[in-house]
Amino acid sequence: MSAHRPEPGTPMTFRWRKWDGSPHWANEGVYLGADQWGDWVGQPVGWRSRRPGREFTAEGPNVTLIPHPSAETGAADFALTVNRRHPKGVRIYIDLGWDVRWGPDADAVETELPVHATGIDMDLDVVRVDGERGTWVDDRDEWAEHLVQYRYPADVIAHLEALALDLEHRVRAQVPPFDAATGDVWLDALEALGLDRDPGR
């Protein structure tokens, strides 16, 4: 395990930025541990996620997998969040990303909890909802807008567009770690910590 990972049970922030370095979501959580798929961070009920102009508290517990880094880049290219008791029935939400990695926040943006993981949010998301709507690739309009605004490199565009379709297929097929059992192990571990807060606080 990398020295950048905190001890299991440590409160932390997972901070996203956009391609131009501007701040995006900063998610409070607690480091849970690692398995064959990567490292897991839990967000108990009542813990916060913030970005400029928006904030919400988790109404149900969720856990986020930061996959093992690529041997080529030393980073991951997505983060998988698995929800339990989500008010809109969202079971899986995958943020496609770039340079998703463990380590201190190089930009030193203030957060209440120390930043132990960062990544660049790359617009496209893969979503699975319990119910008729099922699984789809989301935010294609934002992706198309930012292709122009941020001038993403051609190799990054090709990689992420192919990855979105691959992830959509794997989520629909419920291939591990996109199955129920893998996430539920970590959701059970999170809830056993008893860290929920009153969402009104």
Side-chain angles (χ1 to χ4, degrees), residues 189-200:
L190 172 64
E191 294 203 271
L193 295 176
L195 296 175
D196 290 355
R197 299 173 183 158
D198 180 347

mmCIF file with all atom_site columns, all heavy atoms in Angstrom, residues 189-200:
data_model
loop_
_atom_site.group_PDB
_atom_site.id
_atom_site.type_symbol
_atom_site.label_atom_id
_atom_site.label_alt_id
_atom_site.label_comp_id
_atom_site.label_asym_id
_atom_site.label_entity_id
_atom_site.label_seq_id
_atom_site.pdbx_PDB_ins_code
_atom_site.Cartn_x
_atom_site.Cartn_y
_atom_site.Cartn_z
_atom_site.occupancy
_atom_site.B_iso_or_equiv
_atom_site.pdbx_formal_charge
_atom_site.auth_seq_id
_atom_site.auth_comp_id
_atom_site.auth_asym_id
_atom_site.auth_atom_id
_atom_site.pdbx_PDB_model_num
ATOM 1  N N   . ALA A 1 189 ? -19.349 -2.311 5.893  1.00 0.00 ? 189 ALA A N   1
ATOM 2  C CA  . ALA A 1 189 ? -18.226 -1.874 6.741  1.00 0.00 ? 189 ALA A CA  1
ATOM 3  C C   . ALA A 1 189 ? -18.378 -0.419 7.130  1.00 0.00 ? 189 ALA A C   1
ATOM 4  O O   . ALA A 1 189 ? -18.097 -0.026 8.278  1.00 0.00 ? 189 ALA A O   1
ATOM 5  C CB  . ALA A 1 189 ? -16.911 -2.092 6.002  1.00 0.00 ? 189 ALA A CB  1
ATOM 6  N N   . LEU A 1 190 ? -18.836 0.408  6.194  1.00 0.00 ? 190 LEU A N   1
ATOM 7  C CA  . LEU A 1 190 ? -19.047 1.828  6.492  1.00 0.00 ? 190 LEU A CA  1
ATOM 8  C C   . LEU A 1 190 ? -20.118 2.006  7.559  1.00 0.00 ? 190 LEU A C   1
ATOM 9  O O   . LEU A 1 190 ? -19.920 2.740  8.543  1.00 0.00 ? 190 LEU A O   1
ATOM 10 C CB  . LEU A 1 190 ? -19.446 2.565  5.212  1.00 0.00 ? 190 LEU A CB  1
ATOM 11 C CG  . LEU A 1 190 ? -19.894 4.014  5.384  1.00 0.00 ? 190 LEU A CG  1
ATOM 12 C CD1 . LEU A 1 190 ? -18.751 4.874  5.901  1.00 0.00 ? 190 LEU A CD1 1
ATOM 13 C CD2 . LEU A 1 190 ? -20.428 4.563  4.059  1.00 0.00 ? 190 LEU A CD2 1
ATOM 14 N N   . GLU A 1 191 ? -21.249 1.349  7.386  1.00 0.00 ? 191 GLU A N   1
ATOM 15 C CA  . GLU A 1 191 ? -22.341 1.536  8.349  1.00 0.00 ? 191 GLU A CA  1
ATOM 16 C C   . GLU A 1 191 ? -21.975 1.005  9.728  1.00 0.00 ? 191 GLU A C   1
ATOM 17 O O   . GLU A 1 191 ? -22.444 1.525  10.749 1.00 0.00 ? 191 GLU A O   1
ATOM 18 C CB  . GLU A 1 191 ? -23.612 0.885  7.816  1.00 0.00 ? 191 GLU A CB  1
ATOM 19 C CG  . GLU A 1 191 ? -24.139 1.583  6.556  1.00 0.00 ? 191 GLU A CG  1
ATOM 20 C CD  . GLU A 1 191 ? -25.613 1.355  6.313  1.00 0.00 ? 191 GLU A CD  1
ATOM 21 O OE1 . GLU A 1 191 ? -25.949 0.362  5.638  1.00 0.00 ? 191 GLU A OE1 1
ATOM 22 O OE2 . GLU A 1 191 ? -26.424 2.170  6.806  1.00 0.00 ? 191 GLU A OE2 1
ATOM 23 N N   . ALA A 1 192 ? -21.115 -0.007 9.776  1.00 0.00 ? 192 ALA A N   1
ATOM 24 C CA  . ALA A 1 192 ? -20.689 -0.552 11.073 1.00 0.00 ? 192 ALA A CA  1
ATOM 25 C C   . ALA A 1 192 ? -19.870 0.450  11.875 1.00 0.00 ? 192 ALA A C   1
ATOM 26 O O   . ALA A 1 192 ? -19.775 0.333  13.106 1.00 0.00 ? 192 ALA A O   1
ATOM 27 C CB  . ALA A 1 192 ? -19.874 -1.826 10.854 1.00 0.00 ? 192 ALA A CB  1
ATOM 28 N N   . LEU A 1 193 ? -19.280 1.454  11.205 1.00 0.00 ? 193 LEU A N   1
ATOM 29 C CA  . LEU A 1 193 ? -18.496 2.471  11.919 1.00 0.00 ? 193 LEU A CA  1
ATOM 30 C C   . LEU A 1 193 ? -19.362 3.427  12.728 1.00 0.00 ? 193 LEU A C   1
ATOM 31 O O   . LEU A 1 193 ? -18.883 4.091  13.640 1.00 0.00 ? 193 LEU A O   1
ATOM 32 C CB  . LEU A 1 193 ? -17.632 3.259  10.926 1.00 0.00 ? 193 LEU A CB  1
ATOM 33 C CG  . LEU A 1 193 ? -16.538 2.485  10.200 1.00 0.00 ? 193 LEU A CG  1
ATOM 34 C CD1 . LEU A 1 193 ? -15.850 3.397  9.181  1.00 0.00 ? 193 LEU A CD1 1
ATOM 35 C CD2 . LEU A 1 193 ? -15.511 1.934  11.194 1.00 0.00 ? 193 LEU A CD2 1
ATOM 36 N N   . GLY A 1 194 ? -20.656 3.537  12.381 1.00 0.00 ? 194 GLY A N   1
ATOM 37 C CA  . GLY A 1 194 ? -21.573 4.387  13.140 1.00 0.00 ? 194 GLY A CA  1
ATOM 38 C C   . GLY A 1 194 ? -21.228 5.873  13.069 1.00 0.00 ? 194 GLY A C   1
ATOM 39 O O   . GLY A 1 194 ? -21.326 6.565  14.085 1.00 0.00 ? 194 GLY A O   1
ATOM 40 N N   . LEU A 1 195 ? -20.877 6.364  11.886 1.00 0.00 ? 195 LEU A N   1
ATOM 41 C CA  . LEU A 1 195 ? -20.410 7.751  11.737 1.00 0.00 ? 195 LEU A CA  1
ATOM 42 C C   . LEU A 1 195 ? -21.476 8.688  11.161 1.00 0.00 ? 195 LEU A C   1
ATOM 43 O O   . LEU A 1 195 ? -21.154 9.832  10.803 1.00 0.00 ? 195 LEU A O   1
ATOM 44 C CB  . LEU A 1 195 ? -19.159 7.786  10.849 1.00 0.00 ? 195 LEU A CB  1
ATOM 45 C CG  . LEU A 1 195 ? -17.936 7.071  11.397 1.00 0.00 ? 195 LEU A CG  1
ATOM 46 C CD1 . LEU A 1 195 ? -16.820 7.073  10.358 1.00 0.00 ? 195 LEU A CD1 1
ATOM 47 C CD2 . LEU A 1 195 ? -17.465 7.703  12.696 1.00 0.00 ? 195 LEU A CD2 1
ATOM 48 N N   . ASP A 1 196 ? -22.712 8.217  11.044 1.00 0.00 ? 196 ASP A N   1
ATOM 49 C CA  . ASP A 1 196 ? -23.746 9.066  10.478 1.00 0.00 ? 196 ASP A CA  1
ATOM 50 C C   . ASP A 1 196 ? -23.929 10.347 11.292 1.00 0.00 ? 196 ASP A C   1
ATOM 51 O O   . ASP A 1 196 ? -23.772 10.347 12.523 1.00 0.00 ? 196 ASP A O   1
ATOM 52 C CB  . ASP A 1 196 ? -25.097 8.333  10.422 1.00 0.00 ? 196 ASP A CB  1
ATOM 53 C CG  . ASP A 1 196 ? -25.104 7.215  9.395  1.00 0.00 ? 196 ASP A CG  1
ATOM 54 O OD1 . ASP A 1 196 ? -24.118 7.057  8.662  1.00 0.00 ? 196 ASP A OD1 1
ATOM 55 O OD2 . ASP A 1 196 ? -26.125 6.501  9.329  1.00 0.00 ? 196 ASP A OD2 1
ATOM 56 N N   . ARG A 1 197 ? -24.262 11.433 10.577 1.00 0.00 ? 197 ARG A N   1
ATOM 57 C CA  . ARG A 1 197 ? -24.568 12.702 11.222 1.00 0.00 ? 197 ARG A CA  1
ATOM 58 C C   . ARG A 1 197 ? -26.015 13.069 10.916 1.00 0.00 ? 197 ARG A C   1
ATOM 59 O O   . ARG A 1 197 ? -26.582 12.617 9.919  1.00 0.00 ? 197 ARG A O   1
ATOM 60 C CB  . ARG A 1 197 ? -23.677 13.829 10.673 1.00 0.00 ? 197 ARG A CB  1
ATOM 61 C CG  . ARG A 1 197 ? -22.197 13.651 10.868 1.00 0.00 ? 197 ARG A CG  1
ATOM 62 C CD  . ARG A 1 197 ? -21.465 14.761 10.128 1.00 0.00 ? 197 ARG A CD  1
ATOM 63 N NE  . ARG A 1 197 ? -20.015 14.628 10.199 1.00 0.00 ? 197 ARG A NE  1
ATOM 64 C CZ  . ARG A 1 197 ? -19.182 15.196 9.326  1.00 0.00 ? 197 ARG A CZ  1
ATOM 65 N NH1 . ARG A 1 197 ? -19.657 15.913 8.329  1.00 0.00 ? 197 ARG A NH1 1
ATOM 66 N NH2 . ARG A 1 197 ? -17.866 15.027 9.445  1.00 0.00 ? 197 ARG A NH2 1
ATOM 67 N N   . ASP A 1 198 ? -26.573 13.933 11.722 1.00 0.00 ? 198 ASP A N   1
ATOM 68 C CA  . ASP A 1 198 ? -27.871 14.506 11.419 1.00 0.00 ? 198 ASP A CA  1
ATOM 69 C C   . ASP A 1 198 ? -27.720 15.372 10.171 1.00 0.00 ? 198 ASP A C   1
ATOM 70 O O   . ASP A 1 198 ? -26.928 16.316 10.170 1.00 0.00 ? 198 ASP A O   1
ATOM 71 C CB  . ASP A 1 198 ? -28.333 15.362 12.602 1.00 0.00 ? 198 ASP A CB  1
ATOM 72 C CG  . ASP A 1 198 ? -29.694 16.015 12.384 1.00 0.00 ? 198 ASP A CG  1
ATOM 73 O OD1 . ASP A 1 198 ? -30.164 16.015 11.218 1.00 0.00 ? 198 ASP A OD1 1
ATOM 74 O OD2 . ASP A 1 198 ? -30.255 16.530 13.333 1.00 0.00 ? 198 ASP A OD2 1
ATOM 75 N N   . PRO A 1 199 ? -28.434 15.059 9.071  1.00 0.00 ? 199 PRO A N   1
ATOM 76 C CA  . PRO A 1 199 ? -28.269 15.845 7.841  1.00 0.00 ? 199 PRO A CA  1
ATOM 77 C C   . PRO A 1 199 ? -28.551 17.329 8.015  1.00 0.00 ? 199 PRO A C   1
ATOM 78 O O   . PRO A 1 199 ? -28.080 18.136 7.215  1.00 0.00 ? 199 PRO A O   1
ATOM 79 C CB  . PRO A 1 199 ? -29.289 15.208 6.890  1.00 0.00 ? 199 PRO A CB  1
ATOM 80 C CG  . PRO A 1 199 ? -29.481 13.828 7.399  1.00 0.00 ? 199 PRO A CG  1
ATOM 81 C CD  . PRO A 1 199 ? -29.344 13.933 8.906  1.00 0.00 ? 199 PRO A CD  1
ATOM 82 N N   . GLY A 1 200 ? -29.260 17.702 9.075  1.00 0.00 ? 200 GLY A N   1
ATOM 83 C CA  . GLY A 1 200 ? -29.548 19.121 9.294  1.00 0.00 ? 200 GLY A CA  1
ATOM 84 C C   . GLY A 1 200 ? -28.422 19.884 9.920  1.00 0.00 ? 200 GLY A C   1
ATOM 85 O O   . GLY A 1 200 ? -28.458 21.115 10.012 1.00 0.00 ? 200 GLY A O   1
#
